[in-house]
Amino acid sequence: MKPSRSPMRLLPLVAALCAATGFGIANASSHREAPFITTAPKVDATDFYMFKSYEANRGDYVTLIANYLPLQDAYGGPNYFSLDPNALYEIHIDNNGDAKEDITFAFRFKNNLKGITLPINGKDVAIPLIQAGQLTGATAVANSAVLNVNEQFSVEVVRGDRRTGTRASIANTTGGGTTFDKPVDNIGNKTIPDYPGYAAKHIHTATIPGCSMPAKIFVGQRQDPFAVNLGTIFDLVNAPVSLITDPSKINAAPNTLADKNVTTLALEVHQSCLTAGSESVIGGWTSASLRQGRLLDPNPRSGHQTTDRNGGAWTQVSRLGMPLVNEVVIGLPDKDKFNSSKPVNDGANFLTYVTNPTLPRLLEIALALPAGGLAPTNAGRNDLVTTFLTGIKGVNQPTNVTASEMMRLNTAIPAVPFAQQNRLGIVGNILAGGNDNAGYPNGRRPKDDVVDISLVAMAGGLCVANGDTNKLGFGAECKPTSAPLGNTAFNLHDAVDQAVVPLLGGFPYLNNPLPGSK
């Protein structure tokens, strides 16, 4: 597959088009991005992060974060947001550049109903809520007697093909066995007065078969770490064009997701357990699958989530590597197809959207811009193909690479402490002449403003940096005159600052979830 014909070429186009509006569609990542997935929010992947751990003394570890179930209102009782026990949630790692998974972490969930009853008029009657009291002190654990539903999960590591490879259970070295407890969602401050302390009890130490170093695992509700103004974006970019070139307006737009939670699947794994041989670059993406068949029971039995029967082979219904690809790149007729696809087949399945992108024209229509007023003129956009499809040579490109859409991270590049991280990642590092090559698109950290990064790249900022001497290796056709906006491209932003979103200083890095009541 030729890199210039890969669908990944669409990612920067989308990111830039959306970000150039003045409000970043990229910030929406993959919330509700395809027709089918809107009917199955429990398996809707929203964001994927992969970065060298920047917590003190954890620099040899890689953190993998897959978020699911978007747009959770904190007050979403009485059942809240448990994950689907009939689904398979997976994080895939390619460690040799062939666009096929070599390691998969497969998560399964089980929601156990305790059946708490209260004596009413001499009868034991089942309560209607998932809690029957307060979680404090010793009771502040996921298997507390006052919790009516105990959410648990197991994780397998699969080496080789995700379905036919060698499978082994990851052990819970903290609690024993192969089952892990998931904390209940943040019902509110009365039910769980100290939610941060409660959640911290559910950061598990784990043993991964075939890995000599212990890992950390956390699954639970978190505050959505992404910032975006969704309504404005999808209303034909209902914002003034001048906004995008004024750096003083970087916080001009409200963060629509500021009051939303998501559910996080987080792993921290030693880098030696993810790489192969001398290759330091790994690729990663996340997916979710459901069984092919589902039958609804017209006469549900008493219990918990017993209204359907599932069977047949696993069928992938969600996929996410780099942000934005399916949400705003792939045409509406093929969005479900993309969600079911694998990276190795990208070139064969989505060429039309690569060679004939519609988003540049849609952006010009929305903003009343003249044709060609934004898009760089270098044919093939090798700067973007290299940056987003194969990885940047000398930064995060594997020795042997098959062009495909996934997140790529060079584990040999050291982590940068949070305070020193450039929110514009590698683009910002180029501009500042600094030492932060540990950010997007070399992996993705929670602080990385992928909207602005992609916007600068899409608008030709990398061609401006490449200069007339091809110093970045993007091709002689990628030069300053290729970018209609010139140096102005580096001033573009989406008016929502990703860097101000609250985060934690260590694993699992994403902030504690907002409470249902205060």
Side-chain angles (χ1 to χ4, degrees), residues 218-455:
F218 172 83
V219 174
Q221 193 180 47
R222 300 281 91 183
Q223 183 178 0
D224 195 318
F226 224 4
V228 63
N229 187 350
L230 287 174
T232 295
I233 291 168
F234 293 114
D235 185 23
L236 290 177
V237 191
N238 191 2
V241 179
S242 59
L243 182 69
I244 68 174
T245 58
D246 185 351
S248 69
K249 302 295 185 181
I250 195 168
N251 285 308
N255 176 15
T256 306
L257 301 184
D259 64 346
K260 304 297 182 184
N261 293 327
V262 294
T263 300
T264 287
L265 281 61
L267 277 166
E268 188 181 53
V269 184
H270 197 273
Q271 62 190 34
S272 64
C273 302
L274 300 174
T275 57
S278 60
E279 179 58 75
S280 63
V281 176
I282 59 174
W285 69 100
T286 184
S287 69
S289 300
L290 297 171
R291 294 293 188 181
Q292 281 184 322
R294 180 188 185 195
L295 294 175
L296 297 181
D297 189 344
N299 299 295
R301 297 170 294 172
S302 294
H304 189 63
Q305 296 184 341
T306 58
T307 60
D308 58 2
R309 299 290 183 269
N310 295 266
W314 289 114
T315 301
Q316 182 179 302
V317 296
S318 178
R319 168 189 168 188
L320 180 60
M322 301 283 270
L324 298 176
V325 175
N326 200 9
E327 186 169 32
V328 290
V329 176
I330 305 300
L332 193 58
D334 289 327
K335 288 181 179 294
D336 289 330
K337 181 178 180 180
F338 183 85
N339 263 352
S340 69
S341 66
K342 297 181 180 180
V344 72
N345 298 319
D346 284 346
N349 287 338
F350 307 106
L351 289 180
T352 298
Y353 300 113
V354 176
T355 57
N356 301 280
T358 60
L359 285 172
R361 184 57 188 145
L362 284 173
L363 181 62
E364 291 168 351
I365 293 171
L367 298 179
L369 295 174
L374 172 70
T377 58
N378 51 309
R381 292 307 305 273
N382 192 52
D383 54 325
L384 301 183
V385 171
T386 299
T387 302
F388 296 102
L389 176 61
T390 65
I392 302 171
K393 191 171 183 179
V395 178
N396 66 336
Q397 184 180 111
T399 303
N400 299 298
V401 61
T402 298
S404 53
E405 190 276 296
M406 66 177 68
M407 191 78 67
R408 290 184 174 87
L409 172 71
N410 189 342
T411 63
I413 294 178
V416 173
F418 181 82
Q420 282 76 53
Q421 290 176 14
N422 193 313
R423 71 175 188 88
L424 294 180
I426 293 177
V427 172
N429 187 55
I430 292 173
L431 294 176
N435 296 307
D436 185 6
N437 282 324
Y440 184 79
N442 179 28
R444 179 186 176 193
R445 303 169 299 200
K447 186 178 179 179
D448 291 338
D449 198 329
V450 298
V451 177
D452 290 359
I453 296 168
S454 299
L455 174 58

Side-chain angles (χ1 to χ4, degrees), residues 11 46 64 185 310 312 317 379 386 415 426 445 477 481 491:
L11 169 63
T46 67
L64 307 165
D185 293 343
N310 295 266
V317 296
T386 299
I426 293 177
R445 303 169 299 200
E477 74 284 356
T481 55
N491 294 330

